[in-house]
């Protein structure tokens, strides 16, 4: 049977193209589609929460980071399933099906017409959409996290030992597909979201923005299954993480059982496991625990890093994205990160780090990671400075004990306000006096039409218009009803409700019977206007329309976010890539998956910290929250630098060889030979291992 299996694998590996197994082309296309699906959905997710489900900024941020945290916890589950039960191939198939169902469920949850019975463009049953979207996100997290540790390793299984060059190239192309999928999807899905679609009412096209990633995930699954007959499929070999957990658990239990002073102390608490477990395994776990101890402060970096897709995207909605030649959507700013990654990684590796080394500076991996954390902190200081500039352009909104009143006087008489009694009087004969009640914490406009006896209050919007749109309304000073393009008919002396219009030039046609004229206005981002239509509107061909600016447009440009993206990406290159290289160099060869699980957990914990701060912090100013996060990371980086100072770099292969020799597992000469071969292999495989873990 074993001979038949080997012959079957040999036949499969003979199917090659340009020296590579044909099966890897299916895997590469699968990865591109899957990454496009994941990053495309994630790019617009926080805006879906904010503007479709109408959650506030804090809740939208919390749920976003809870989802990301789950995506970084489920890879541990996927690795255990693949290595201990189903094998990598079946795990990828089954969890990809779960993944695809999740994406389709998420896309369906964004169709507002499903529950929009009154056809006003807003869902009537938000509970249905929330429940469906939460189910979709849980399934997506299980799918994307579960297959994460399997796909790259499964691709590596397709190569034979003599194909080390092709294997290295495969991982390079694989990593390129991840970045290409991330970059393209982050550019495309925000454009799809900005379109308008709907069966009964036209709204922002979230079904298309989520539907395309769902379709790509289905394509990814179909492509992967199509190559089934060409794959080399290895059986489950047992999960090292499970062995490590059992050994640690036994050591703790045994130590607790022998806590009395009559039992002799052990050099290390893991030595309490030597009654049941091999000394080599215990020594390897000791090495791993030293590295995992250094991981304790690391979640704080991810706390800041992953806010690119939440807080920073919401910040971009209060800015202007007009770059002249093109208009950038707020969620498209996230593309700056993958673009800078592809640029900075080779620059750092080939220029900056070698230059520092030539200057005689000992820029060790742990020092690089500390500097990377400080760069991330500076990124949030930069974000805070940008937020302060944004806040300067915001209106002075009233507090809960204040009211704001604006008067629009179309009547040609002077108004005399009485501030004490909140009574208003007009210099008419006889004098017209009227009392109004103001709303605490509200903004109102008193409209005095050509017939002052019917003056009335109109409530104004109390916040910036959503998604950088512009809120506009018209006050009809014409003597009869007016029909305005895309608006309901406005009665004489009445005001229309606010209508949201996007940036760019907009044309409005006013009609009454056979009389008509056209009014054009170019809008920016995030402004609010009241347009007064005088009685002379048709005789002046709409030129007499008066514009009142209720709220200034966004004037802070999205380009000001580029420095914070540059700083956070520089921090990522120094922290993330270096951290993986350090972890691999310090871990036993068979324990690298344990460290990968630990590394992913730091990312998950970092996102949970954001969730806690967003829900419990409730700082009055957003810039203060940015400064808080920056301060926390600086404090953590100081702690990490102290821990790094006392850390001693080791050679795991040497320690393993010494223990094997003590146990008489291998002769000394054979041990030396093994070490030499391991050192040779390490030089060839280190790059591909780092890439695989980065993936």
């Amino acid at each position: 049977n074993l001979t038949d299996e080997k012959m079957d694998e040999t036949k499969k590996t003979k199917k090659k193209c340009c020296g590579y197994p044909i099966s890897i082309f299916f895997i590469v296309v699968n990865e591109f589609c899957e990454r496009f699906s994941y990053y495309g959905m994630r790019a617009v997710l926080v805006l879906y929460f904010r503007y479709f489900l109408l959650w506030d900024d804090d809740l939208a941020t919390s749920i976003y980071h809870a989802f990301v945290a789950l995506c970084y916890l489920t890879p541990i589950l996927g690795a255990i399933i693949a290595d201990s039960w189903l094998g990598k191939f079946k795990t990828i198939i089954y969890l990809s099906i779960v993944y695809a169902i999740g994406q389709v469920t998420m896309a369906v949850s964004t169709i507002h017409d499903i529950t929009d019975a009154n056809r006003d463009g807003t869902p009537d049953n938000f509970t249905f959409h929330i429940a469906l979207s939460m189910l979709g996100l849980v399934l997506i997290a299980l799918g994307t996290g579960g297959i994460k540790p399997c796909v790259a390793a499964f691709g590596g299984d397709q190569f034979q030992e003599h194909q080390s060059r092709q294997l290295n190239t495969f991982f390079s192309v694989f990593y390129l597909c991840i970045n290409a999928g991330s970059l393209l999807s982050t550019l495309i899905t925000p454009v799809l979201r900005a379109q308008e679609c709907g069966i009964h009412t036209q709204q922002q096209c979230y079904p298309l923005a989520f539907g395309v990633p769902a379709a790509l995930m289905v394509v990814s699954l179909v492509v992967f299954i199509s190559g089934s007959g060409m794959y080399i499929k290895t059986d489950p070999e047992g999960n090292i993480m499970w062995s490590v957990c059992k050994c640690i658990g036994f050591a703790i239990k045994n130590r607790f059982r022998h806590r009395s002073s009559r039992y002799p102390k052990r050099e290390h608490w893991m030595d309490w496991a030597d009654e049941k477990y091999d000394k080599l395994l215990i020594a390897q776990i000791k090495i791993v625990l030293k590295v995992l101890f250094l991981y304790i402060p690391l979640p704080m970096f991810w706390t800041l890093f992953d806010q690119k897709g939440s807080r920073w995207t919401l910040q971009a909605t209060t800015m202007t994205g007009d770059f002249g030649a093109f208009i950038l959507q707020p969620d498209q700013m996230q593309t700056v990160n993958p673009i800078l990654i592809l640029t900075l990684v080779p620059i750092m590796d080939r220029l900056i780090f070698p230059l520092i080394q030539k200057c005689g500076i000992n820029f060790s991996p742990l020092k690089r990671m500390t500097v990377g954390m400080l760069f991330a902190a500076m990124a949030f200081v930069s974000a805070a400075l940008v937020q302060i500039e944004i806040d300067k352009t915001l209106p002075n909104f009233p507090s809960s004990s204040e009211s704001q009143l604006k008067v629009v006087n179309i009547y040609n008489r002077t108004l005399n306000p009485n501030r004490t009694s909140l009574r208003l009087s007009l210099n008419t004969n006889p004098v017209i006096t009227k009392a109004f009640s103001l709303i605490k914490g509200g903004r109102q406009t008193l409209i005095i039409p050509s017939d002052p006896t019917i003056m009335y209050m109109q409530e104004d919007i109390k916040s910036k218009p959503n998604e950088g749109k512009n809120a506009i309304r018209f006050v009809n000073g014409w003597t009869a009803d007016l029909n305005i393009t895309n608006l309901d008919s406005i009665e004489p002396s009445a005001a229309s409700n606010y209508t949201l219009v996007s940036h760019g030039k907009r044309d409005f046609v006013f009609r009454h019977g056979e009389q008509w004229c056209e009014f054009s206005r170019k809008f920016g981002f995030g402004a609010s206007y009241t347009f007064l239509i005088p009685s002379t509107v048709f005789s002046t061909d709409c030129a007499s329309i008066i514009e009142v600016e209720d709220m200034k447009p966004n004037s802070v440009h999205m380009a000001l976010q580029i420095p914070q993206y540059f700083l956070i990406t520089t921090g990522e290159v120094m922290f993330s890539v270096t951290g993986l290289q350090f972890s691999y160099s310090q871990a036993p060869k068979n324990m690298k998956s344990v460290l990968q699980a630990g590394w992913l957990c730091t990312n998950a914990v970092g996102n949970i910290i954001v969730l806690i701060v967003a829900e419990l912090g409730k700082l009055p100013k957003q810039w203060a929250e940015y400064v808080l996060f920056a301060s926390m990371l600086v404090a953590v980086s100081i702690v990490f630098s102290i821990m790094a100072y006392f850390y001693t770099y080791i050679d795991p292969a040497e320690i393993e060889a010494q223990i094997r020799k003590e146990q008489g597992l291998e002769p000394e000469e054979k041990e030396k030979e093994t070490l030499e071969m391991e050192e040779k292999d390490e030089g060839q495989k280190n790059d591909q291992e780092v890439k695989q873990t980065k993936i």
Side-chain angles (χ1 to χ4, degrees), residues 39-40 42-47 182-195 308-309 312-314 316-317 321-323 326-339 503 525 558-559 561-562 565:
Y39 283 109
R42 186 170 147 176
V44 297
L45 186 60
V46 75
L47 297 186
S182 168
L183 182 60
L184 289 175
S185 63
T186 313
L187 279 171
I188 293 170
T189 51
V191 175
L192 300 178
R193 175 193 60 80
Q195 307 304 310
K308 304 187 314 302
W312 286 11
T313 299
L314 292 171
T317 63
D322 189 352
F323 283 80
F326 58 92
I327 302 293
L328 202 65
Q329 299 297 325
D331 30 359
Q332 284 182 313
M333 277 301 293
Q334 298 174 56
T335 57
V336 175
N337 176 250
I339 291 170
H503 58 84
F525 296 82
M558 282 186 199
Q561 281 195 322
I562 293 176
Y565 272 98

Side-chain angles (χ1 to χ4, degrees), residues 413-482:
R413 291 288 189 277
T414 308
L415 172 72
N416 295 315
N418 187 327
R419 293 177 180 271
T420 330
S421 61
L422 295 178
R423 297 175 67 85
L424 303 166
S425 56
L426 286 168
N427 288 341
T428 56
N429 191 13
V431 173
I432 298 174
T433 303
K434 200 166 184 178
F436 294 95
S437 59
L438 300 179
I439 303 171
K440 284 187 177 181
R443 307 173 81 232
Q444 294 167 276
T445 296
L446 173 67
I447 297 175
I448 307 174
S450 51
D451 180 2
T453 59
I454 59 171
M455 68 175 86
Y456 59 93
M457 284 283 200
Q458 191 83 359
E459 195 170 347
D460 297 349
I461 59 173
K462 293 184 288 186
S463 61
K464 275 277 191 178
N466 291 342
E467 303 175 86
K469 290 187 175 181
N470 301 276
I472 63 169
R473 65 181 174 184
F474 295 90
V475 178
N476 184 8
W478 175 246
T479 54
D481 290 1
L482 271 180

Side-chain angles (χ1 to χ4, degrees), residues 423-613:
R423 297 175 67 85
L424 303 166
S425 56
L426 286 168
N427 288 341
T428 56
N429 191 13
V431 173
I432 298 174
T433 303
K434 200 166 184 178
F436 294 95
S437 59
L438 300 179
I439 303 171
K440 284 187 177 181
R443 307 173 81 232
Q444 294 167 276
T445 296
L446 173 67
I447 297 175
I448 307 174
S450 51
D451 180 2
T453 59
I454 59 171
M455 68 175 86
Y456 59 93
M457 284 283 200
Q458 191 83 359
E459 195 170 347
D460 297 349
I461 59 173
K462 293 184 288 186
S463 61
K464 275 277 191 178
N466 291 342
E467 303 175 86
K469 290 187 175 181
N470 301 276
I472 63 169
R473 65 181 174 184
F474 295 90
V475 178
N476 184 8
W478 175 246
T479 54
D481 290 1
L482 271 180
N483 290 315
I484 306 176
T485 312
N486 298 325
L487 293 171
D488 294 331
S489 177
I490 308 177
E491 296 177 356
S493 303
S496 68
N497 294 323
Y498 278 108
T499 301
L500 293 178
V501 297
S502 54
H503 58 84
K505 187 180 179 183
R506 294 289 176 265
D507 299 323
F508 303 94
V509 177
F510 300 89
R511 291 186 183 276
H512 176 71
E514 294 184 357
Q515 298 183 85
W516 69 277
C517 65
E518 187 177 48
F519 171 69
S520 297
R521 172 71 160 81
K522 187 176 181 181
F523 295 98
F525 296 82
S528 176
Y529 301 96
T530 298
F531 294 103
L532 309 179
I533 306 171
S535 57
T536 57
V537 60
F538 292 121
S539 60
T540 59
D541 199 24
C542 283
S544 57
I545 291 177
I546 301 167
E547 174 188 303
V548 178
E549 187 179 69
D550 302 330
M551 205 175 289
K552 291 182 178 180
N554 300 345
S555 56
V556 179
H557 204 279
M558 282 186 199
L560 286 182
Q561 281 195 322
I562 293 176
Q564 66 201 55
Y565 272 98
F566 175 80
L567 289 168
I568 200 81
T569 307
T570 304
E572 180 190 7
V573 173
M574 288 192 168
F575 178 88
S576 182
V577 179
T578 305
L580 288 167
Q581 291 171 344
F582 163 77
S583 301
Y584 266 79
S585 69
Q586 296 297 288
K589 193 172 182 182
N590 65 333
M591 294 281 179
K592 298 189 189 300
S593 61
V594 178
L595 280 181
Q596 183 182 14
W599 184 265
L600 293 172
C601 282
T602 64
N603 202 315
V605 174
N607 281 275
I608 292 170
I609 294 172
V610 184
L611 190 157
I612 294 168
V613 173

Side-chain angles (χ1 to χ4, degrees), residues 314-373:
L314 292 171
Q315 184 186 62
T317 63
T318 61
M319 306 172 79
T320 174
D322 189 352
F323 283 80
F326 58 92
I327 302 293
L328 202 65
Q329 299 297 325
D331 30 359
Q332 284 182 313
M333 277 301 293
Q334 298 174 56
T335 57
V336 175
N337 176 250
I339 291 170
L340 286 174
I341 276 285
L342 295 173
T343 307
L344 288 176
V345 167
I347 291 175
M348 290 284 188
D349 284 344
R350 301 297 174 87
L351 183 63
I352 304 297
F353 293 152
L355 191 61
I356 292 173
Q357 193 174 5
K358 283 187 178 179
C359 292
I361 300 172
N362 180 23
F363 202 34
S364 65
L366 293 179
K367 288 179 182 177
R368 290 184 197 178
M369 292 174 69
T370 306
V371 172
M373 295 166 87

Side-chain angles (χ1 to χ4, degrees), residues 6 45 83 140 178 298 304 391-392 455 460 462 469 475 490 587 606 612 620 638-639 642 648:
K6 287 180 180 179
L45 186 60
D83 291 345
I140 290 168
I178 290 174
L298 304 190
L304 277 68
D391 290 348
K392 289 177 184 177
M455 68 175 86
D460 297 349
K462 293 184 288 186
K469 290 187 175 181
V475 178
I490 308 177
I612 294 168
I638 293 171
V639 172
I642 295 169
T648 305

